[in-house]
Amino acid sequence: MYNSKIFLLIPLFLINSIASSKADSGQKCSNTSSLIGFESNFTMVRHQLRGHLKILDGCSFQVTRFDMLSGSSDVVFWGAVSLNFSDLTSGFPISGQRLNQTAYKNVSFSVQLLPDITWDQINVLSIWDIASTSDFGHVTLPRNGSDSFSDSVHTVFDNCKNLSDNYRVRWNLNVEENWIEIGLEAAAPTTYYMAFGWANPNRTKELMSEADVTVASFTEEGRPFVDDFYITAYSECKLSSKDRTAIGVCPDVVYENSKNGMMVNNTRLVYGHRRDGVSLIMFRKPLNSTDKKYDLPVYPNEDMRVIWALGLMKPPNENRSHFLPQFHGGPEKVAYGHLVLNVSKKVDDCFGPLDADDNEDQELIIADTEVPLVVTTGEVLHYPNPPSPSKVLYINNKEAPVLRVERGVPVKFLVQAGHDVALYITSDSLGGNATSRNATETIYSGGPEAEGVVANPHELIWVPDRNTPDQVYYQSLYQEKMGWKVQVVDGALSDMYNNSVLLDDQQVTFFWTLSEDSITIAARGVKKSGYLAIGFGNGMVNSYAYVGWIGDTGKGHLNTYSIDGKRPLNIHPTNENLTHVRCKSEDGIITLEFTRPLKPSCNQNDKPECKNIVDPTTPLKVIWAMGSKWTDEHLSEKNMHTVTSQRPVQVLLIRGSSEAEQGLQPVLAVHGFMMFLSWGILIPGGILAARYLKHVEGDGWYQIHIYLQYSGLAIILLGVLFAVAELRGFYVSSLHVKLGIAAIVFASVQPMNAYLRPEKPANGEDASTKRLIWEYFHVIIGRGAVAIGIAALFTGMKHLGERYRVENVHDLSWVLIIWFLIAALTVIYLEYRERQQRDRLQGRSNWVLGNVAEEDSIDLLSPNDAFARKGSQSSGVIEVQLEPLNR
């Protein structure tokens, strides 16, 4: 297996060498540089980078045993003057070669410098990610002809052995100086220990008993440590109740401290770090220890059995001062194991870097609405994206932690990092005002004003919404790379949305948030299903549906449909303008979310979805359905729902509530009846009384006219109040409301008009111009009010049908039409009789039956009669005027 991997790497090495030589063919390399022949291991900074560098000549170098986890497509070889933050970030590419493979695993290759680059310009050779301005690893070159030197910490060992998929042991051996340097490396949490040691050669079973092991881990502050342990029993370390002697898996010092306090921990920590979710702790121990009681000798040229384990570490408490390993548990060769090892034999079966599932090493702070996040600055110790400035942001005294917030839940920051640090939440990973780098960013909160000091901190409140990306960054506006990541997770939907109601049967919850011209909607079922659908309409037929489901690949989908029947062929896909679409499944329960405009930006005659208007002022009828499977291809009977709502629920979008479907709302029904009573009976009746009842003795016609008009106007105003109370507001959005307002204005003008009526002319006198104008105005306004009022009745019926989907609105409209047809026929008949009667009387005199009342009767009927009367006088015909009783 090992040999096959080597053979696979040979072609890769040749290809890289050829490509490099071709790229710079013709370049003349000088051999005068003092750095030729310099060798050093790379210092790991990020991405588990390891490798060995050797300078070949004045324009090339060689990298061997190179490991690196994948980065971006902009990882290059980089030169800089020093490791200082400003010097590194202002460095320069030294080669055209890019390290953009998925991962590098123990590879070797040669690299050519760019034609205009020499070794004199380079003091630090880094592997650099341009996109994140991040140093993955580097080598510091000797300056000014000084002796070659190597960095103080190297992570490349002579030997490496895989203990499990996530655990390795590395070592260097120095027999002459009587030590072995061991590096334990594991892709495990910081709360885990790494144990490795030698079993007692006299034991053939229960190998851990009487074993000499080293246990390595990290303190709660992130500091590495190692301890020399001796195992006397398969149990956690404890003191005997009889003689207070130690027993179990205990540090060597515990055994001796229980007797005479002799110090016997001969293991010395060399180095330790956490990078990319991988722990590495290096320590040195003697091959032959002076502690003959608890340390076993290591014979470098012999096969010896070693044991290892991974598990949780118990931190110290008030009763004990040592970290103690817990029982490792887990299966053999995963959580513990043993093997035979000869440390003097060359071993390297660690192919490639360890890749942890969780590669985030920074501490996690979960935002709490009750506890503000205190933002300060402090010294750089373990910044997650090196290099960084000399000071970085601390939150609640933790260096650049990962911050986790919930959508819809307010986050309060108390910024007291100084006047030169302005906090802001941004989409840019570097911060420092991306526009100054000619880059773009989205700022979600904060800015120049978000700065303060301890004595006067600035309070910044940020509320992530459902449209905030899953990852953003908290940074300083004035300096790059001071902050770190913000994980934005979904909280409860009730936190993310302003309103929610349970739909029919309480099996689906409907959430929404209204904005000026759009609405954001979510729906979640309460039981497992293959898909979840919600629809706007009285029922499935003639509704607009939104269907969310999870595909075979696990990806969520959401499609829109118009439905005009009960068969799959009647379900028609639509192309609604949805944004911020999400569909996910948690334990089989579907949740769908989307944002849509209240009114589609298209002509209602173009496409079915153009008619799908959401009017916040009217109840939205919502239905739901769930089934076992959905597809965006050919629907069949298998895709039909298995459970559905029995009736729609009317969602009152503005009020934030709902009510069960009850057909036409009783209060609105009363409103409609009152308007019909006024515009269909009372007001037209008052006009007819003025027109056809003047022959009645006295002023009875006038009293009837007045009472009917005022009663009709009072009922109209009362009906308006009923509608406003039911809808919780007065909304002038529909044609019905606009016509209704116009009719009410016209009707309300008539009483004022009557109050301003000019004096009637005396007998035998002509009507004044003011009187004639008043008569025209009175008649036109009155008839106009009736016409607009009748139009408002019909548009009200249409409004009920479109917005409230009243099933019998069609029948009611026909009843209304028939009523007014009957009224029209009645008026035609009365006019015919009136004309017949006038014709009979015309032969004897100009005595007109319709004009026997006082002169005021004219202004309610036909002002043209005034001109007829005036014409008859000029022709010498006698006209008889009958005066009514005084009113």
Side-chain angles (χ1 to χ4, degrees), residues 32 99 129 208 400 403 494 579 681 804:
T32 60
L99 302 172
D129 185 359
M208 288 193 177
L403 181 60
S494 57
T579 57
I681 298 176
Y804 295 89

Side-chain angles (χ1 to χ4, degrees), residues 137-242:
H138 58 263
V139 171
T140 303
L141 306 182
R143 296 183 180 185
N144 301 325
S146 61
D147 293 336
S148 299
F149 69 96
S150 59
D151 291 329
S152 59
V153 175
H154 295 303
T155 57
V156 178
F157 290 75
D158 296 335
N159 305 276
C160 184
K161 180 69 178 177
N162 273 321
L163 303 177
S164 71
D165 291 341
N166 296 319
Y167 189 21
R168 295 171 174 175
V169 58
R170 301 175 183 268
W171 72 93
N172 297 319
L173 181 64
N174 191 324
V175 178
E176 291 76 11
E177 297 186 12
N178 189 41
W179 56 257
I180 183 172
E181 191 171 82
I182 296 174
L184 299 180
E185 183 181 37
T190 55
T191 53
Y192 272 47
Y193 65 83
M194 300 176 289
F196 180 84
W198 278 260
N200 191 317
N202 298 323
R203 300 190 69 88
T204 57
K205 58 181 181 179
E206 296 184 351
L207 298 177
M208 288 193 177
S209 183
E210 300 179 351
D212 174 21
V213 298
T214 299
V215 176
S217 188
F218 292 89
T219 67
E220 293 174 321
E221 293 78 23
R223 294 192 299 269
F225 70 90
V226 292
D227 268 333
D228 206 359
F229 276 68
Y230 187 73
I231 301 175
T232 56
Y234 279 38
S235 66
E236 184 180 316
C237 183
K238 58 184 178 180
L239 298 178
S240 170
S241 58
K242 294 182 179 180

